[in-house]
Amino acid sequence: MLSVSVLLATRAIRRHLLRSFLTVLGIVVGVAAVITIVTIGRGATVKIVQQVSELGANLLIVEPGRTRTGGDENPPPFQLLDVEAIRSQIRGIRAVSAQVRTSAIVVRNGVNRNTSIDGVTDDYLTAQNWTLSNGRRFTAEDEDAGKTVCLIGAEIRRSFFRDEEPLGKPLKVQDMICEVVGVLTARGQSGFGDDRDSTIILPLRAVQRTLTGTREVQTIIVAIDPTYSTANLKASLISLLRERRRLAGGALDNFSITDTKQIIDAVASVTRVMTALLGAVAAVSLLVGGIGIMNVMLVSVTERTREIGIRMAIGAVAQDVLLQFLVEATLLACLGSLIGIALALIGSLILAPILSIPFVFDPVINLASFLFSALIGIVFGYFPARRAATLNPIEALRHE
Amino acid sequence: MTIPVIRLRGVTKSYGSGEGAFHALRGVDLEVTAGSFVAVMGPSGSGKSTLMNILGCLDVPTGGSFLFKDVAIERLSKDERAILRRRHLGFVFQGFNLLARTTAIENVELPLIYRRDEHHRRRAAAAAALDRVGLSDWAQHTPAELSGGQQQRVAIARAIVTAPAVLLADEPTGNLDSQRSTEIMTLLTELNQASGITILMVTHEPDMAAYAQMTVYVRDGLIDRIERADGTGSTAC
């Protein structure tokens, strides 16, 4: 039954290739737009998640300060002892590190620039997933004594050393001279726009002594063992810190904990919403494409009135005619969506590297667009098909 | 021997109703025996087109009865008439009415597609029908590549491919020059005599009507008279 309609419909499409193509142009553009937007959107999400993960997946960043209004006006800073307490008392920690961040003028051989300086304990490299391209990490001795040794980012190496071997060379940071012991592997821009390769890392004590002049720790970075629950760990971390900071039962926390996973989720959900919105706009164009099919099919039915009369005279029943036009509209919509999918894939493959995001093929959106187009073909093809099927054969034959 | 394949009894056809009604047919009685070749003549507006539409089961009479092979056509639904057409009737039109941009063989097999014949049988029957009208070599050509006479032959092939009982031809030579007309009439006569297909043909031209065994003259919605080729004439009752 249907095979006859498919045969007749394909013949009709083949007979009018140009018109058929113009009919489905709306669908082609609609599908291509939907899929390209969603594909690019997915790629962007993946990229952002990747970048945030580079900070270290599952990091808790603990800082003194209020999470809500009404707490202590001047929250006490953390001390190195807090870091030791967390390390020894909380289970499920992969690495924990203290961090002090400041900035300083760095000078060497007449080149000088202001750059960010991190004073950290050695676990920092583990927590932040930093690796060294050459050189060594800090030793326990470096840290305990607060030696002025440093690890430099790839960009710092480029601007101060060019082709020179930096290991063992001195670098003047503010008033102190530090010796370069390692070079960090290049990472490029972070998801938040700062150049992560323009950093100099020193032992915490060295920075405290020579740059900040206090024993305060600004930030504690806790990397969570992925097999442990972030929520549980966060809860025990809060109770430990409240205890150490002697907060009474009703008092608000005077420190904040930022979960990188939350950042990832937040950023990803923003991208998802954007993708969904743009996708919806594109879906409307798909709908308009469907109306285009209906328009052309209606014109086509009028133009082919005589042909329909001939078909009826030689024995087509109303259902034959109805199905032929319905199948024609549906086939056109399906063909259009296939062309649209192909265009979208080509477009995404071209756009992805330009936007420097990964190409993520999503079979669901492709299949969904295809099925939605088929549905549009059926829905918008039905009205013209019915009109064709209800023609009076005598009048149709007389039609010029 | 003389079984009527078509029997009309007091067939009327009116358009509209009340005062303004137009009566295209006002009581037509006609019997056509199987295997005969009948020409229908009459001035325009005489009702001969209406009569042909009813005989072709494209239209139903307003009154009276139409028996086609003992089937009362006026009781059939639109779809049942379509099925009857594809089983028993073939149509040839003045304007050929082939599907454009469609090869001759695809045009010819179209009725078989609607009959749900399978591909091989369909192709074989269509090829045989084309061969019958002498166009075997033109099977893959589209109407635009064929002359008027050839197009009408394709149309005849399409009409006979279902082996119909009755072939209705509406001015089949109206668009052709006299030589092509003669060829088409010879072909129709040959189909009538060799295959026993009953032919009903509307024509303006007495030359063409001369090929028929019987000519029905229609006037003002009534059958004026019937002339037989053997000379016996009769007026309608």
Side-chain angles (χ1 to χ4, degrees):
Chain A
M1 182 71 213
L2 208 58
S3 66
V4 166
S5 317
V6 171
L7 173 75
L8 295 172
T10 42
R11 280 186 186 174
I13 292 171
R14 236 182 27 218
R15 284 212 317 264
H16 302 280
L17 270 183
L18 180 65
R19 188 181 66 194
S20 303
F21 177 71
L22 293 176
T23 308
V24 299
L25 206 53
I27 293 274
V28 171
V29 172
V31 168
V34 169
I35 296 182
T36 309
I37 287 168
V38 172
T39 305
I40 295 294
R42 291 283 154 86
T45 310
V46 167
K47 187 192 182 187
I48 291 166
V49 169
Q50 254 172 18
Q51 284 179 333
V52 179
S53 314
E54 270 178 20
L55 289 174
N58 265 1
L59 281 188
L60 297 181
I61 296 163
V62 189
E63 287 166 308
R66 293 166 295 163
T67 49
R68 281 160 292 207
T69 50
D72 194 342
E73 285 296 324
N74 290 303
F78 292 116
Q79 305 292 328
L80 204 49
L81 280 175
D82 293 315
V83 179
E84 292 312 319
I86 292 169
R87 194 200 307 280
S88 56
Q89 290 177 40
I90 309 263
R91 279 155 48 82
I93 289 178
R94 192 163 59 84
V96 57
S97 163
Q99 183 185 20
V100 170
R101 172 164 288 189
T102 182
S103 64
I105 304 286
V106 180
V107 185
R108 184 176 186 267
N109 285 356
V111 182
N112 77 71
R113 65 181 274 195
N114 196 350
T115 190
S116 86
I117 309 290
D118 283 319
V120 303
T121 49
D122 190 53
D123 258 0
Y124 179 79
L125 298 185
T126 315
Q128 295 275 39
N129 291 339
W130 277 111
T131 53
L132 298 180
S133 63
N134 53 352
R136 62 167 178 86
R137 298 170 74 131
F138 301 142
T139 61
E141 200 199 336
D142 292 338
E143 290 196 51
D144 292 344
K147 280 195 180 169
T148 51
V149 289
C150 61
L151 305 173
I152 56 173
E155 181 55 34
I156 298 292
R157 181 203 172 148
R158 248 192 309 279
S159 39
F160 290 104
F161 295 96
R162 301 190 186 274
D163 300 330
E164 257 181 275
E165 170 57 57
L167 292 187
K169 300 270 164 58
L171 200 58
K172 190 169 177 238
V173 178
Q174 209 112 316
D175 302 324
M176 116 185 109
I177 303 289
C178 73
E179 179 199 347
V180 177
V181 294
V183 180
L184 300 167
T185 310
R187 249 181 190 181
Q189 298 259 310
S190 83
F192 307 104
D194 50 331
D195 183 358
R196 311 187 68 212
D197 292 331
S198 289
T199 190
I200 297 178
I201 299 176
L202 285 111
L204 180 75
R205 287 214 168 98
V207 174
Q208 286 178 332
R209 201 182 61 227
T210 62
L211 295 175
T212 62
T214 68
R215 311 210 69 181
E216 292 172 5
V217 169
Q218 284 170 355
T219 310
I220 301 174
I221 294 164
V222 180
I224 302 166
D225 181 333
T227 57
Y228 280 77
S229 142
T230 310
N232 289 349
L233 199 142
K234 200 169 162 183
S236 44
L237 187 60
I238 289 172
S239 69
L240 174 70
L241 289 175
R242 287 182 68 89
E243 193 184 307
R244 291 186 62 80
R245 294 162 82 81
R246 305 191 206 303
L247 291 175
L252 293 168
D253 294 346
N254 57 5
F255 56 91
S256 67
I257 300 180
T258 312
D259 184 348
T260 51
K261 200 156 177 303
Q262 280 175 349
I263 301 176
I264 294 175
D265 291 348
V267 171
S269 89
V270 168
T271 331
R272 261 199 303 278
V273 169
M274 285 303 291
T275 306
L277 279 176
L278 288 170
V281 171
V284 170
S285 76
L286 200 54
L287 208 64
V288 174
I291 295 170
I293 286 197
M294 181 163 73
N295 275 336
V296 180
M297 290 298 289
L298 278 174
V299 172
S300 163
V301 166
T302 310
E303 188 191 296
R304 286 154 74 185
T305 300
R306 194 183 179 84
E307 175 197 321
I308 295 163
I310 300 168
R311 291 178 185 276
M312 286 176 158
I314 64 176
V317 296
Q319 203 188 16
D320 289 327
V321 177
L322 180 89
L323 275 179
Q324 183 194 326
F325 279 86
L326 200 55
V327 168
E328 203 175 313
T330 310
L331 271 182
L332 280 174
C334 290
L335 285 175
S337 80
L338 286 181
I339 298 174
I341 287 172
L343 284 181
L345 292 185
I346 295 170
S348 309
L349 280 170
I350 294 172
L351 275 178
I354 294 175
L355 302 173
S356 67
I357 59 167
F359 170 75
V360 182
F361 179 76
D362 183 346
V364 174
I365 189 66
N366 283 280
L367 190 66
S369 302
F370 180 77
L371 293 179
F372 187 58
S373 305
L375 185 71
I376 277 180
I378 294 172
V379 170
F380 288 103
Y382 183 76
F383 179 54
R386 249 198 74 76
R387 175 173 279 196
T390 49
L391 284 175
N392 177 339
I394 300 166
E395 281 162 22
L397 276 171
R398 235 183 263 139
H399 193 269
E400 282 308 321
Chain B
M1 163 65 211
T2 54
I3 325 137
V5 64
I6 285 169
R7 221 179 315 176
L8 300 184
R9 285 273 175 276
V11 164
T12 61
K13 182 69 189 182
S14 312
Y15 297 101
S17 56
E19 294 277 303
F22 171 69
H23 305 285
L25 293 179
R26 300 187 295 163
V28 172
D29 297 320
L30 180 67
E31 282 193 2
V32 176
T33 49
S36 52
F37 190 155
V38 180
V40 178
M41 294 189 77
S44 32
S46 62
K48 65 181 191 307
S49 291
T50 308
L51 178 61
M52 283 302 272
N53 285 337
I54 288 174
L55 289 172
C57 299
L58 290 166
D59 208 350
V60 281
T62 314
S65 77
F66 169 22
L67 287 178
F68 181 92
K69 287 188 156 189
D70 296 327
V71 177
I73 299 302
E74 64 273 14
R75 299 214 191 103
L76 299 184
S77 71
K78 199 179 161 208
D79 281 354
E80 284 169 331
R81 280 185 281 124
I83 290 165
L84 183 131
R85 285 197 297 273
R86 73 184 175 213
R87 286 208 188 121
H88 303 295
L89 298 177
F91 287 88
V92 175
F93 305 93
Q94 178 177 3
F96 319 137
N97 279 348
L98 298 175
L99 296 190
R101 305 190 210 185
T102 304
T103 61
I105 193 147
E106 283 181 352
N107 263 295
V108 174
E109 70 174 349
L110 198 56
L112 302 180
I113 291 178
Y114 287 120
R115 243 172 44 173
R116 270 92 188 142
D117 281 9
E118 58 172 68
H119 181 77
H120 295 297
R121 275 183 54 193
R122 202 165 74 207
R123 277 284 147 133
L130 274 178
D131 189 39
R132 189 80 194 273
V133 299
L135 286 179
S136 299
D137 297 339
W138 299 83
Q140 298 305 327
H141 291 255
T142 60
E145 298 162 351
L146 300 172
S147 71
Q150 286 172 321
Q151 287 188 52
Q152 194 60 300
R153 282 163 184 274
V154 173
I156 291 170
R158 182 179 64 188
I160 61 169
V161 74
T162 56
V166 176
L167 191 152
L168 292 113
D170 189 358
E171 306 213 26
T173 58
N175 288 9
L176 300 174
D177 63 34
S178 64
Q179 196 196 333
R180 306 285 161 248
S181 298
T182 309
E183 283 170 19
I184 292 296
M185 291 316 299
T186 311
L187 177 61
L188 288 179
T189 310
E190 197 263 333
L191 286 170
N192 171 249
Q193 283 168 2
S195 309
I197 300 177
T198 309
I199 296 181
L200 295 174
M201 177 181 73
V202 171
T203 183
H204 273 314
E205 301 159 82
D207 288 356
M208 302 303 140
Y211 285 88
Q213 296 144 4
M214 183 170 113
T215 304
V216 176
Y217 292 90
V218 184
R219 192 179 198 92
D220 295 332
L222 287 168
I223 289 179
D224 192 36
R225 63 200 156 91
I226 295 175
E227 276 178 11
R228 292 177 198 281
D230 54 19
T232 57
S234 78
T235 31
C237 17

